[in-house]
Amino acid sequence: MFRYAAELVPYHDHGFEDSIRDLADIGFKEVNLWSSAAPLAHHVNPGDDPGKILGVLDKYGVKPCGLTVYGKTQDEILERVDFAADLGIDTLVFDCEANYPDFVSTFLPPIVEAGARRGVRIAVENHLTVPFAADFESGANEDQRWDEGVDTLAQMKRLIRDIDDPYLGVCIAPPHLWVMQDTISEAITFLAERKRLFYYYIWDIDRAYRHGTDGLNFGHADQQLPRPDGTLDHSVMLGTLRRVGYEGVASLKCHGTQGWSFEKIGEHLRASDAYVRDCMKKSQAL
């Protein structure tokens, strides 16, 4: 059975300890920490005292299950490999940070090698090949897509073929696959068969998304959080995770909470969590 966790990212405008306390109050025992570029969450960063971070987590009975590092240079990601290891985290998540030929030839190999030395797996998210920008949530840079990236199942297959290393795998992001019109359950199965499914986001997308226009704008957070009237039936994907024997992390995620109060974030996460837990029960019968 997979491990159900939560992302810290919805709380990017709020304090670390308060955010961890709220997620623990919802019932989460594992949380993926974020050390990404603004405006994404960057509650923890190299140079911070790992003991203090772990002390806060221990206080609320929470363990760190991953570290997400979007919008960072190669050197900054290498720093975060060591930082993750110092925190006892075994999985680092980021997307394709360069045009694919450069990504697999020069950008990624040193990071995978560093991960192998420190016992940290590298999970590349299947992500639309749009260069990172601070205003990404408005759909910026849709007209600047790279020629090749890691956003389709075919490109995921190519990635793990081109760098066949047990420390390199994929973080599946369902909305990105939905945009590319790939089947999420097929991606889960292919990667799980090859021991390359390292992380999974429980994440939805606004049904009003406009292909070729909206880029990374997946809608407001209430449209990204899994919900009964959402775009995706999460009991299907969670059932697939169960059937393939996935024992890694499946983590509740959304963007789009900028300007939200602490209380509003918690309210929406609690509603989504209740739906996801119901999906988990239903998935046992699928």
Side-chain angles (χ1 to χ4, degrees):
M1 177 64 178
F2 57 84
R3 292 146 47 206
Y4 178 41
E7 300 295 303
L8 192 55
V9 64
Y11 295 90
H12 53 71
D13 294 334
H14 301 280
F16 177 63
E17 181 166 352
D18 288 342
S19 304
I20 294 296
R21 183 186 65 247
D22 201 42
L23 289 171
D25 183 67
I26 294 172
F28 290 104
K29 301 298 183 184
E30 294 190 66
V31 173
N32 184 29
L33 306 183
W34 281 58
S35 182
S36 296
L40 295 174
H42 46 279
H43 291 93
V44 300
N45 294 288
D48 293 345
D49 183 347
K52 290 183 178 179
I53 295 168
L54 294 173
V56 170
L57 295 170
D58 289 344
K59 181 178 178 180
Y60 298 102
V62 173
K63 294 182 179 180
C65 61
L67 184 68
T68 293
V69 297
Y70 296 133
K72 296 296 180 180
T73 66
Q74 183 186 64
D75 287 342
E76 289 170 331
I77 293 176
L78 286 167
E79 288 181 322
R80 284 159 175 77
V81 170
D82 289 329
F83 186 48
D86 293 342
L87 288 167
I89 292 172
D90 68 358
T91 305
L92 197 75
V93 181
F94 55 92
D95 62 352
C96 185
E97 297 284 350
N99 201 24
Y100 185 82
D102 297 327
F103 187 62
V104 295
S105 63
T106 60
F107 192 97
L108 194 53
I111 296 172
V112 175
E113 292 168 9
R117 288 194 301 271
R118 296 302 309 269
V120 177
R121 305 181 308 168
I122 306 305
V124 176
E125 181 192 349
N126 62 286
H127 195 284
L128 302 183
T129 55
V130 180
F132 179 83
D135 57 350
F136 77 95
E137 289 181 299
S138 68
N141 289 340
E142 173 65 9
D143 60 344
Q144 299 178 35
R145 282 199 185 192
W146 294 316
D147 295 333
E148 299 178 282
V150 183
D151 53 10
T152 66
L153 175 55
Q155 290 169 343
M156 288 186 247
K157 292 178 178 180
R158 179 179 57 174
L159 174 69
I160 63 172
R161 179 198 65 205
D162 288 350
I163 303 181
D164 185 7
D165 190 292
Y167 277 88
L168 176 68
V170 173
C171 166
I172 287 184
H176 292 278
L177 280 171
W178 180 89
V179 169
M180 301 307 295
Q181 297 184 297
D182 272 341
T183 304
I184 299 161
S185 291
E186 182 181 356
I188 290 171
T189 301
F190 179 88
L191 293 167
E193 285 178 351
R194 290 152 181 81
K195 300 180 181 180
R196 294 295 183 269
L197 177 55
F198 283 3
Y199 205 88
Y200 181 86
Y201 286 142
I202 307 176
W203 187 13
D204 215 308
I205 187 169
D206 192 339
R207 194 181 301 277
Y209 181 90
R210 296 168 298 173
H211 293 265
T213 299
D214 285 337
L216 296 175
N217 181 3
F218 290 172
H220 295 300
D222 58 345
Q223 297 300 306
Q224 293 187 32
L225 283 168
R227 61 201 186 282
D229 62 344
T231 301
L232 299 172
D233 185 343
H234 294 271
S235 61
V236 174
M237 284 86 75
L238 297 179
T240 304
L241 290 175
R242 183 188 298 274
R243 286 195 302 277
V244 300
Y246 177 62
E247 296 179 346
V249 172
S251 187
L252 182 62
K253 179 185 179 182
C254 73
H255 294 299
T257 58
Q258 62 272 24
W260 281 26
S261 69
F262 187 83
E263 292 73 20
K264 183 176 180 179
I265 295 169
E267 176 186 353
H268 280 76
L269 284 177
R270 283 167 172 80
S272 186
D273 169 69
Y275 164 71
V276 171
R277 292 183 187 275
D278 185 56
C279 286
M280 291 167 64
K281 293 177 183 178
K282 291 179 180 177
S283 73
Q284 298 179 26
L286 295 177

